[in-house]
Amino acid sequence: MEPPNVYKARFDEVATGRRRRVTVGIEILDRESDGSVPTAAWFRGEEYRLDIEDDEGVAIYVRRL
């Protein structure tokens, strides 16, 4: 179980028009000071945007190619 000030983030790349989605990594990140999940995150030097938070509390970020 993670401490309350962190969350698990999954980073996906989505190919535009091809309906292909690939998970490129998972990290444990810090929440915002108010406890929320940030709407954007950086992974391997690229910016990803929050897509959804799944039933298990994993924030899924996407980068469209």
Side-chain angles (χ1 to χ4, degrees):
M1 185 171 180
E2 285 113 17
N5 59 337
V6 298
Y7 68 100
K8 187 181 285 188
R10 185 179 96 193
F11 297 92
D12 292 353
E13 291 183 344
V14 178
T16 306
R18 290 186 247 176
R19 295 184 177 181
R20 191 177 73 137
R21 187 177 194 126
V22 177
T23 299
V24 294
I26 296 175
E27 287 189 348
I28 303 297
L29 301 174
D30 292 327
R31 292 183 178 271
E32 297 287 352
S33 59
D34 66 358
S36 65
V37 173
T39 58
W42 288 83
F43 182 74
R44 295 185 184 163
E46 299 290 340
E47 184 178 20
Y48 288 74
R49 290 294 192 178
L50 181 63
D51 186 36
I52 193 166
E53 193 169 347
D54 70 11
D55 295 336
E56 297 174 4
V58 177
I60 302 171
Y61 290 89
V62 297
R63 181 171 78 99
R64 305 207 184 276
L65 302 175

